[in-house]
Structure formats: structure tokens, C-alpha cells
């Protein structure tokens, strides 16, 4: 059974309703779906619940899969949509993160500490810039540059043309760059203000 493609497993499950075919799909993607849910929730227990819900949705939706996109792309679309819907509440809306490796660097050498602090500051600024953007723009940027989905996959997933995907990515990159620069300038001015306020009494 392992030699079947994803699409073949879907067809076999729909035709026979034998759980073994769905279980094979589950085995292939359970870890990937969980990791994606974890990247949204940052909570292992919450991620397990989200992943469980994704596969429940998958069972219901399999009959609507038309093979216009790869199964993996289609499943990622379900996962993204479910996670963003669930995390859109007031308490969790701002919890979409770029890969956590950007946020924390475990470097202990004294001579590299300043470089690490600078990298962390830049990561925080980038995260703040991302959080200012609409959820759908955040998701497309993450799928393209974190998950490395192709333009074709993004077009299929969103039901738009490849040209439209490229235009949306271009606009989102420009917006992200604008917000990032605004954040960087704000923190630079704040730092300068603090420096001068400390030094002023000694002049």
C-alpha cells in the first residue's frame, strides 16, 4: 500500500470506504500537520487538538478533492484555513509567528552576544511588521518563504492565476518592508531618546 500515490489513496478510499487507505494518508501527514499547527499555536496540546480537527475535516472533505492541486498542497490549505479560523479570536489573533528560529538564537559565547542581540532585535521588528498585515497576506508570505510552496501551488490553493499570486506576493513584500522600516526607525529613535535622557544630566 505504501507504493500508492496520495491521489491514488484518496480515490481508493472514496471508492471502497476502507479505513486502511485513509490510515496510510494519516501516517504520511500526521507529523507535518501537527508541526504546522504547532507553528501557529505555539502550544503542543493546542496543536494536537488542531491537528485532530484537521483530519476530521479531511475525512468529510475527501469527496470534494478534484486533484486540481497536489494532495499535499490541498491538505496544507485545509490546515492553514482551520488554524487561522481557530486562532482569530481576540486572545490569540496575534499569535502567527515566523519560524521560531528567527526569534531565539542559543549562542553563549561572549564575543558573539552582541551579534545575537542584534539578530533578535531584527527578528522582533520583523515579527511586529508581520503582525500589522492582514491574516491572508501573512499566510501567503509564510507559505511561500517558510513552507517553500511554489507559485503554481499557491495559485491552485487560492483559486487564482500565477500572475495574481506574483502580484500579491510583490505587494505583501513591499508592505512588509514598509512596516519593518517603520518599526526599525521607531526603536532607533526610542533608543536615542533614552541615551540622551541618561547622558543629559552629566553635561
Amino acid at each position: 500500500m505504501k507504493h500508492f500515490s496520495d491521489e491514488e489513496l484518496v480515490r481508493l478510499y472514496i471508492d471502497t470506504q476502507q479505513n486502511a487507505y485513509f490510515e496510510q494518508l494519516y501516517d504520511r501527514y500526521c507529523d507535518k500537520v501537527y508541526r504546522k499547527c504547532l507553528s501557529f499555536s505555539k502550544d503542543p496540546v493546542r496543536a494536537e487538538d488542531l491537528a485532530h480537527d484537521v483530519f476530521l475535516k479531511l475525512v468529510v472533505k475527501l469527496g470534494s478533492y478534484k486533484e486540481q492541486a497536489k494532495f499535499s498542497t490541498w491538505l496544507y490549505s485545509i490546515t492553514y484555513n482551520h488554524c487561522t479560523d481557530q486562532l482569530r479570536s481576540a486572545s490569540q489573533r496575534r499569535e502567527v509567528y515566523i519560524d521560531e528560529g528567527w526569534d531565539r538564537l542559543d549562542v553563549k559565547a561572549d564575543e558573539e552576544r552582541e551579534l545575537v542581540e542584534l539578530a533578535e532585535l531584527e527578528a522582533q521588528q520583523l515579527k511586529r511588521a508581520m503582525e500589522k498585515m492582514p491574516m491572508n497576506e501573512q499566510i501567503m508570505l509564510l507559505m511561500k518563504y517558510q513552507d517553500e510552496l511554489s507559485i503554481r501551488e499557491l495559485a491552485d490553493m487560492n483559486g487564482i492565476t500565477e500572475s495574481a499570486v506574483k502580484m500579491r506576493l510583490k505587494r505583501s513584500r513591499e508592505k512588509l518592508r514598509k512596516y519593518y522600516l517603520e518599526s526599525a526607525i521607531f526603536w532607533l529613535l526610542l533608543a536615542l531618546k533614552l541615551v540622551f535622557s541618561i547622558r543629559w544630566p552629566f553635561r
Side-chain angles (χ1 to χ4, degrees), residues 109-151:
D110 291 340
E111 62 271 18
E112 296 184 12
R113 189 160 295 159
E114 291 185 2
L115 180 61
V116 172
E117 291 174 355
L118 179 61
E120 289 177 343
L121 179 60
E122 290 178 351
Q124 291 168 10
Q125 292 169 352
L126 185 58
K127 188 173 75 174
R128 291 189 191 98
M130 283 284 286
E131 289 172 349
K132 292 181 180 179
M133 301 178 66
M135 186 71 70
N136 63 319
E137 293 183 8
Q138 292 185 38
I139 290 171
M140 184 165 286
L141 286 173
L142 290 169
M143 284 194 288
K144 179 67 176 75
Y145 298 109
Q146 180 175 301
D147 295 334
E148 299 181 349
L149 296 185
S150 68
I151 297 296

Side-chain angles (χ1 to χ4, degrees), residues 4 22 52 77 103 111 140 170 182:
F4 287 132
F22 183 82
H52 177 72
S77 176
D103 288 333
E111 62 271 18
M140 184 165 286
K170 181 177 183 292
E182 287 176 352

Side-chain angles (χ1 to χ4, degrees), residues 46-61:
R46 178 67 168 146
E48 287 182 5
D49 291 340
L50 290 169
H52 177 72
D53 292 343
V54 167
F55 281 103
L56 286 178
K57 281 194 168 188
L58 182 61
V59 173
V60 175
K61 289 178 173 287

